[in-house]
């Protein structure tokens, strides 16, 4: 199970995501267990393989017509986390992971090591 509070940015951070806010929103809305609001906020939940309940809340942010960042907070299995990332163009879209509480920016491998519990 992953536990996290993270902001996702395109890498390099000065770049925009390859997808637009609207494209990401449309993909998020199709995820199982997703409740997506028109302002970009969302909650997605489900059960892992042993029946433990998980949930992630977050927000899509746009700036100047592009997807600017994605905030994710909660816990979920790695496969559900990957579904969220695929909705914003991963793995083709390089990402920077900003650990909100720690104020650190790290790469994907470091993030996955830090958030696994």
């Amino acid at each position: 199970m992953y536990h996290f509070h993270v902001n996702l940015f395109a890498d390099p951070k000065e770049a925009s995501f390859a997808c637009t806010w609207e494209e990401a929103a449309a993909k998020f809305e199709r995820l199982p267990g997703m409740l997506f609001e028109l302002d970009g906020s969302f909650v997605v939940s489900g059960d892992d393989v042993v029946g433990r309940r998980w949930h992630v809340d977050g927000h899509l942010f746009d700036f100047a017509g592009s997807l600017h960042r994605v905030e994710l907070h909660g816990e979920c299995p790695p496969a559900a986390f990957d579904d969220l990332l695929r909705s914003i163009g991963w793995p083709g879209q390089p990402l920077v992971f900003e650990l909100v509480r720690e104020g650190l920016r790290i790469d994907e491998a470091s993030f996955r090591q830090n958030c696994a519990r």
Side-chain angles (χ1 to χ4, degrees):
M1 189 75 69
Y2 285 173
H3 299 268
F4 49 84
H5 188 183
V6 65
N7 286 315
L8 304 176
F9 293 93
D11 187 21
K13 188 174 180 257
E14 300 77 30
S16 295
F17 280 87
C19 66
T20 65
W21 186 98
E22 291 79 9
E23 291 167 338
K27 290 178 182 176
F28 268 63
E29 287 178 312
R30 291 192 293 268
L31 292 174
M34 176 64 73
L35 174 61
F36 190 87
E37 299 291 337
L38 293 176
D39 68 353
S41 61
F42 61 87
V43 175
V44 60
S45 61
D47 296 312
D48 69 9
V49 295
V50 295
R52 290 178 297 184
R53 196 79 179 142
W54 59 265
H55 84 277
V56 175
D57 58 83
H59 202 107
L60 300 178
F61 293 90
D62 64 337
F63 180 74
S66 297
L67 179 62
H68 176 257
R69 70 180 166 100
V70 179
E71 181 179 12
L72 300 172
H73 178 259
E75 63 179 2
C76 67
F81 190 79
D82 290 351
D83 288 342
L84 293 168
L85 295 186
R86 275 191 282 282
S87 296
I88 57 172
W90 176 87
Q93 171 69 65
L95 299 171
V96 170
F97 294 73
E98 180 183 72
L99 303 177
V100 173
R101 292 189 177 132
E102 295 85 350
L104 299 172
R105 291 198 180 139
I106 58 177
D107 64 16
E108 181 181 346
S110 298
F111 170 77
R112 289 184 188 267
Q113 289 175 345
N114 274 326
C115 72
R117 292 188 189 163

